[in-house]
């Protein structure tokens, strides 16, 4: 049959992608070319037919378990037909059962949001293919995830493509060697703004900028002396000196460790009914803080957490790092212990893939991933890395961990393999243990082209399987395009309020795509080229004009019409203090903050009402001495069954799942906490009594209060209002009921209580709560 006779049947696939693409996804697949009837059969198949078969047919009609016995992955499968007979009528192609079922709307079945049969142009493409004789390139095998379509990502999805260092935008290239170098971040952000006829906000006021950097880097505000010194420093490198100093303080590790602990679902108890303590979990927290302060290369940071016990140079600290694997919930009395083994594997696969790769691999436990190029077999390949570990029911007492005699360590929450020859892991149909299928060899994910690996068996004299080590090496391989992209996006998120990818734990099809993909890849290559060290990237971001700009832009009214989400970064984001920064700042302002580094966690005082929900009530919780409760919030004991009521009011994250970005809410209970919580009032009273003891005049006291809370002097109108408030309220506080108020075991004087109420008022202000 001559191709020209059916010229009218050839339909370009571009119209299909426009018609069916989800509205907020920019599909990364190469667009199909409009091919006329003179195209070769192979060209026609590859550019017109193969995308349709992958998109609409292959999910059900794969080779492994083809629906109805019909496989459409190969030419042999197509010609062989299915359980109901031949799919193609070679004598009269238009009478083929395949085409009939498509015309009837029976195939593909109505699902995934499709409420009607395929569009006419799609059906016409199938007709054209059949009338050509259903040509199929020799040895061509279709795969479900070989390319991105309108309904799922393929292995050419943006986050799975190779990272290359982009060139700086041409209009920002600096050819004058005598001129200062342009920050690469500003080059990419500025170029995008120029293309949109927008401009960034002016530089923030110095005092506001300093406060922003202090909170972002160390989680605490600057004091009034530090603000005054920066305002007085007019040297060209004044800002750089601030940045360098902040990155060298031990508080940097405390602040940024908190972000990582969210990602790895850090808690110090197991959850469930007994919620027993995970002894020495705090050592993992301290390891993270120390690693960040030392600027441990990120690839080594990953390696130690996944396989610190398998390293030739292992030591106590590298084994402590593997505590990351032990941090999840642990039910020591499951209804079905054998089923629970697989639940534990799911947690390990989930936290590993989410934290380091930004992909939701656990979705493939029961079936091939619906949206991302992850086969069900891939899930079990990755799970095989942890199959030899301490996850069996027989280890209820031990609950896993290192063999201390062999490792030469003690008192550590860590991980090592129970055996170096574990039993085979089998794929479970629908994720059900009683439906075990074929054995799956341990290995890496197949979604990254040319980087999929099997784990070779180890010699019998090796103590562990070495699988976690092999998995970690695959994750930190420079050819793995996810690892560097994911971590630099996490850094960007915490400095700029949103990530370049605004779904930091999901770089897959249902996540958002980067607002500035070239900038993301430039930062990723910068990280890898700089030996995976993170502090230089911190400095690069802090030194950028994009970071230093104000939250106020004179063109905001116009810009909000086209970019209300600030995806082009035409202003800085105004942010509320998170739970830890708020609590720490209250202690900082009152002069009570204990900045001791490391050691076991403290338990805060919890009201009896909050303990009512526990099975053991007050017996389940013993608060630490008051003197120990003034440490930074990162050292607060995290009990899954009893999270701090004050901290949860300000969006402390769920500690059962990896959290890449906390919710930020503004709700009534937050105001009630700030007005009524005893912790707030205790900080206000301590601050009041300290200031009253140091200053005798009300104006001096008000001056001191503003310096302590806001790191600035009060304005004249603020002094007048404060004096008027104190003069009005002091007689009220002199009443006997207030005079007898007992705070921290001591009766406070009316003058102190009155001034403390002013302190609490300042704690409730926007200036205290928000960072501009």
């Amino acid at each position: 049959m001559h191709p020209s006779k059916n010229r009218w049947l050839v339909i370009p696939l571009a119209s299909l992608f426009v018609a069916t693409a989800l509205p907020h996804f920019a599909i990364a697949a190469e667009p199909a070319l409009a091919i006329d009837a003179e195209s070769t059969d192979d060209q026609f198949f590859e550019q017109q037919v193969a995308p349709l078969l992958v998109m609409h047919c292959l999910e059900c009609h794969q080779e492994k378990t083809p629906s109805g016995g019909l496989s459409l992955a190969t030419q042999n499968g197509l010609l062989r037909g299915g359980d109901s007979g031949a799919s193609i009528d070679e004598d009269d192609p238009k009478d083929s059962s395949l085409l009939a079922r498509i015309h009837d709307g029976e195939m593909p079945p109505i699902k995934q949001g499709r409420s009607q049969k395929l569009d006419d142009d799609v059906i016409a493409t199938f007709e054209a293919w059949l009338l050509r004789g259903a040509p199929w390139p020799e040895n061509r095998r279709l795969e479900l995830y070989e390319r991105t379509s309108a309904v799922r990502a393929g292995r050419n999805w943006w986050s799975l493509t190779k990272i290359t260092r982009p060139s700086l935008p041409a209009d920002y290239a600096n050819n004058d060697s005598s001129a200062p170098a342009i920050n690469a971040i500003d080059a990419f952000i500025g170029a995008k703004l120029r293309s949109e006829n927008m401009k960034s906000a002016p530089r923030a006021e110095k005092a506001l900028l300093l406060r922003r950097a202090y909170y972002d880097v160390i989680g605490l505000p600057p004091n009034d002396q530090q603000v005054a010194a920066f305002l007085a420093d007019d040297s060209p490198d004044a800002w750089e000196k601030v940045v360098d100093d902040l990155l060298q303080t031990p508080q940097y590790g405390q602040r940024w460790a908190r972000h990582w602990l969210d990602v790895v679902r850090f808690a110090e108890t197991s959850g469930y009914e007994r919620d027993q303590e995970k002894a020495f979990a705090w050592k993992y927290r301290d390891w993270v803080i120390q690693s960040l302060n030392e600027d441990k290369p990120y690839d080594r940071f990953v390696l130690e957490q996944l396989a610190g016990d398998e390293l030739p140079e292992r030591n106590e600290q590298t084994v402590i790092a593997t505590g990351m694997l032990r941090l999840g919930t642990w039910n020591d009395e499951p209804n079905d212990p054998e089923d629970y083994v697989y639940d534990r594997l799911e947690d390990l696969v989930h936290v590993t893939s989410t934290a380091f790769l930004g992909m939701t691999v656990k979705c493939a436990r029961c079936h091939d991933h619906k949206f991302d190029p992850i086969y069900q077999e891939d899930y079990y390949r990755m799970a095989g890395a942890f199959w030899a570990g301490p996850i069996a029911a027989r280890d209820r007492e031990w609950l896993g961990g290192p063999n201390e005699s062999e490792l030469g360590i003690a008192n550590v929450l860590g991980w090592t393999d129970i055996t170096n020859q574990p039993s085979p892991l089998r794929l479970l149909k629908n994720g059900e243990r009683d439906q075990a299928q074929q054995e799956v060899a341990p290995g890496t994910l197949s979604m990254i082209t040319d980087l999929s690996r099997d784990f070779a068996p180890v010699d019998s004299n090796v103590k562990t399987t070495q699988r976690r080590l092999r998995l970690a090496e695959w994750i930190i391989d420079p050819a793995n395009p996810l690892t560097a992209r994911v971590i630099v996006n996490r850094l960007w998120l915490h400095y700029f309020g949103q990530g370049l990818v605004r779904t930091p734990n999901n770089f897959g099809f249902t996540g958002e795509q980067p607002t500035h993909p070239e900038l993301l890849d430039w930062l990723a290559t910068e990280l890898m080229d700089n030996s995976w060290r993170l502090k230089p990237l911190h400095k690069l971001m802090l030194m950028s004009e994009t970071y230093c700009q104000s939250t106020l832009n004179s063109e905001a009214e116009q810009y909000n019409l086209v970019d209300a989400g600030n995806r082009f970064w035409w202003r800085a984001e105004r942010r509320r203090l998170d739970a830890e920064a708020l609590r720490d700042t209250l202690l900082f302002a009152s002069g009570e903050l204990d900045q001791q580094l490391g050691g076991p966690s403290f338990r805060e005082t919890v009201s009896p009402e909050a303990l009512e929900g526990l099975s053991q009530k007050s017996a389940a919780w013993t608060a630490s001495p008051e003197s120990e409760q003034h440490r930074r919030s990162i050292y607060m004991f995290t009990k899954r069954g009893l999270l701090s009521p004050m901290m949860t009011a300000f969006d402390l994250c769920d500690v059962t799942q990896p959290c890449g970005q906390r919710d930020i809410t503004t709700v009534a209970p937050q105001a009630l906490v700030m007005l009524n919580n005893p912790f707030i009032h205790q900080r206000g009273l301590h601050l009041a009594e300290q200031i009253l003891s140091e200053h005798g005049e009300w104006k001096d006291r008000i001056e001191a209060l503003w310096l302590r809370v806001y790191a600035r002097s009060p304005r004249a109108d603020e002094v007048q209002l404060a004096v008027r408030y104190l003069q009005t309220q002091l007689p009220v506080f002199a009443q006997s009921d207030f005079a007898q108020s007992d705070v921290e075991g001591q009766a406070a004087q009316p003058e102190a209580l009155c001034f403390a109420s002013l302190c609490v008022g300042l704690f409730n202000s926007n200036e205290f709560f928000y960072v501009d």
Side-chain angles (χ1 to χ4, degrees), residues 433-489:
R433 177 177 55 82
D434 59 357
Q435 298 191 57
Q437 306 291 305
Q438 73 273 17
E439 180 181 330
V440 179
T444 62
L445 305 176
S446 64
M447 61 186 178
I448 301 173
T449 305
D450 300 328
L451 202 61
S452 180
R453 302 170 180 168
D454 289 329
F455 298 147
V458 297
D459 295 334
S460 58
N461 62 337
V462 178
K463 299 294 184 182
T464 68
T465 65
Q466 299 288 293
R467 294 176 183 177
R468 285 174 289 110
L469 182 59
R470 301 287 89 81
L471 176 63
E473 290 171 341
W474 173 80
I475 288 174
I476 62 177
D477 191 312
N480 189 320
L482 287 165
T483 310
R485 283 179 174 136
V486 168
I487 189 58
V488 299
N489 188 65

Side-chain angles (χ1 to χ4, degrees), residues 66-292:
S67 178
L70 175 62
S71 170
L72 296 178
T74 64
Q75 185 179 41
N76 288 338
L78 172 70
L79 298 178
R80 184 171 58 247
D83 297 342
S84 59
S87 59
I88 293 180
D89 187 333
E90 297 186 50
D91 295 328
D92 190 354
K94 297 195 73 172
D95 278 345
S96 297
S97 63
L98 176 64
L99 190 57
R101 301 185 78 176
I102 292 174
H103 273 297
D104 293 342
E106 183 181 351
M107 288 294 164
I110 296 174
K111 62 177 182 177
Q112 294 182 345
R114 184 172 55 247
S115 59
Q116 58 186 8
K117 69 178 185 179
L118 297 177
D119 293 340
D120 290 343
D121 57 351
V122 177
I123 296 174
T125 301
F126 276 120
E127 288 180 343
W129 176 52
L130 292 174
L131 289 175
R132 283 187 176 220
W136 196 295
E138 186 177 1
N139 298 324
R140 178 68 161 95
R141 186 182 302 274
L142 297 178
E143 289 187 74
L144 180 62
Y145 301 118
E146 66 178 42
R147 66 183 78 194
T148 297
S149 72
V151 295
R152 69 177 62 86
R155 287 190 291 275
N156 62 339
W157 184 244
W158 73 266
S159 62
L160 304 178
T161 58
K162 181 181 178 181
I163 299 177
T164 57
R165 180 185 287 270
S167 301
L168 290 179
D171 55 346
Y172 276 85
N174 188 356
N175 297 319
D176 184 357
S177 59
S178 64
I182 295 172
N183 187 297
I185 291 172
D186 298 328
F188 287 105
I189 296 295
K192 184 64 174 179
L193 286 172
R194 289 165 64 91
S195 71
E196 300 292 332
N197 294 317
M198 302 169 75
K199 61 181 181 180
S200 60
R203 195 177 180 92
E205 296 178 11
K206 289 187 72 174
L208 295 178
L209 181 57
L210 187 71
R211 187 169 186 264
R212 181 191 303 173
Y214 265 73
Y215 272 116
D216 285 347
V217 179
I218 68 172
L220 292 170
N223 60 35
D224 58 306
Q225 294 92 348
Q226 290 164 332
V227 172
F230 181 58
L231 293 178
D233 190 347
D234 294 326
S235 61
D237 62 344
W239 177 242
E240 185 173 12
K241 287 187 292 186
V242 167
V243 169
D244 288 339
D245 288 346
L246 287 174
L247 290 173
Q248 291 305 314
T249 63
Q251 289 78 24
Y252 155 79
Q254 292 173 326
R255 177 58 170 171
W256 281 84
R258 180 65 264 175
H259 300 320
W260 184 254
L261 296 182
D262 283 4
V263 172
V264 295
R265 83 289 188 229
F266 176 82
E268 296 179 73
T269 63
S270 295
Y272 293 95
E273 174 65 20
R274 295 204 310 119
D275 202 19
Q276 69 272 22
E277 181 176 351
K278 292 177 179 287
F280 306 110
W282 59 267
K283 290 188 175 183
Y284 170 80
R285 176 203 60 214
D286 287 358
W287 175 86
V288 175
I289 294 173
Q290 181 179 345
S291 295
L292 294 177

Side-chain angles (χ1 to χ4, degrees), residues 582-597:
L582 173 61
R583 181 185 174 279
D584 293 350
T585 301
L586 288 165
L587 289 166
F588 179 86
S590 69
E592 299 172 278
L593 183 63
D594 178 358
Q595 299 208 43
Q596 171 191 346
L597 290 171

Side-chain angles (χ1 to χ4, degrees), residues 397-428:
E397 297 283 334
W398 185 9
L399 295 182
N403 183 322
E404 296 177 356
S405 62
E406 292 183 354
L407 293 174
I409 58 176
N411 300 331
V412 165
L413 179 80
W415 182 281
T416 197
D417 295 343
I418 293 174
T419 175
N420 67 351
Q421 299 293 331
S423 58
L425 178 61
R426 296 184 178 276
L427 182 146
L428 306 182

